[in-house]
Amino acid sequence: MSSDTAETTGAPDVVSRPVGIVRSRFTEATGMPIQTAGAPEEKGRLEVFAEFAPGLRDIEGFDYLILVTHLHQCAHERLEVVPFLDNTSHGVFATRAPARPNRLGLSIVRLESVEGTTLHFSGNDMMDGTPVLDIKPYVPKFDVRETERVGWFGARLDQLPRTRSDGRMG
């Protein structure tokens, strides 16, 4: 958000800094998995910056982590998009599309191992060099909600394992 926007809305600027960076085999958006659930075996690693090392204490006790990321290679912020699992336009807040305000991403990954300040994981849907803004433990009692109401996704979820990014958000 720019200072002009903050003055207009009355909301303060939000500044964040990465705690680490993702290392991945994906160097471009085209061909990448669109969700971690669509690529559960895809490997990646998170290199946490040394200054944040104390924050990793006890992290090996979790099977899954939630990574909040900055979608640094997404060139556009849009309020309406045609998402990867559909051919119809939707409001961006009704999608998981990367071309969104603030370009924030959310990935739930399986923690495979911890090696110093490097977290090895599977379920990678992130590009090499993706900045990670936060790491949270995934706790099913907190994070799982059973529901049948999933909007337009309901008719499309069976396509997830074979759907890859086609560059339309670039």
Side-chain angles (χ1 to χ4, degrees):
M1 179 183 325
S2 71
S3 295
D4 293 340
T5 304
E7 290 172 13
T8 305
T9 64
D13 282 343
V14 175
V15 178
S16 57
R17 59 192 171 124
V19 300
I21 193 164
V22 169
R23 293 299 175 204
S24 166
R25 73 179 181 94
F26 302 112
T27 57
E28 59 182 49
T30 302
M32 287 179 51
I34 61 166
Q35 292 290 315
T36 62
E41 301 305 317
E42 187 66 48
K43 304 292 184 193
R45 70 181 190 275
L46 168 55
E47 296 174 353
V48 177
F49 301 138
E51 66 186 287
F52 298 103
L56 295 175
R57 191 178 66 174
D58 302 324
I59 202 160
E60 68 280 349
F62 296 91
D63 277 334
Y64 289 91
L65 302 174
I66 301 169
L67 305 182
V68 179
T69 61
H70 182 256
L71 304 171
H72 68 299
Q73 293 295 323
C74 190
H76 305 285
E77 293 183 0
R78 300 181 184 140
L79 294 179
E80 294 184 2
V81 296
V82 176
F84 298 120
L85 286 173
D86 205 356
N87 55 11
T88 303
S89 180
H90 299 275
V92 73
F93 301 131
T95 76
R96 295 289 187 97
R100 55 193 321 107
N102 298 313
R103 298 182 189 125
L104 292 178
L106 178 75
S107 296
I108 300 173
V109 300
R110 184 178 186 98
L111 181 62
E112 302 286 340
S113 66
V114 179
E115 190 177 309
T117 57
T118 300
L119 307 180
H120 297 270
F121 62 86
S122 58
N124 181 34
D125 66 348
M126 293 163 280
M127 190 177 298
D128 189 59
T130 297
V132 175
L133 303 177
D134 201 4
I135 306 164
K136 296 181 182 292
Y138 176 86
V139 180
K141 188 78 168 171
F142 300 163
D143 301 320
V144 174
R145 304 291 187 277
E146 294 295 327
T147 184
E148 297 299 317
R149 192 172 147 205
V150 294
W152 65 269
F153 281 103
R156 309 259 190 239
L157 290 175
D158 62 324
Q159 298 173 22
L160 180 61
R162 62 185 177 279
T163 302
R164 295 293 182 256
S165 171
D166 58 15
R168 75 178 81 174
M169 302 293 166

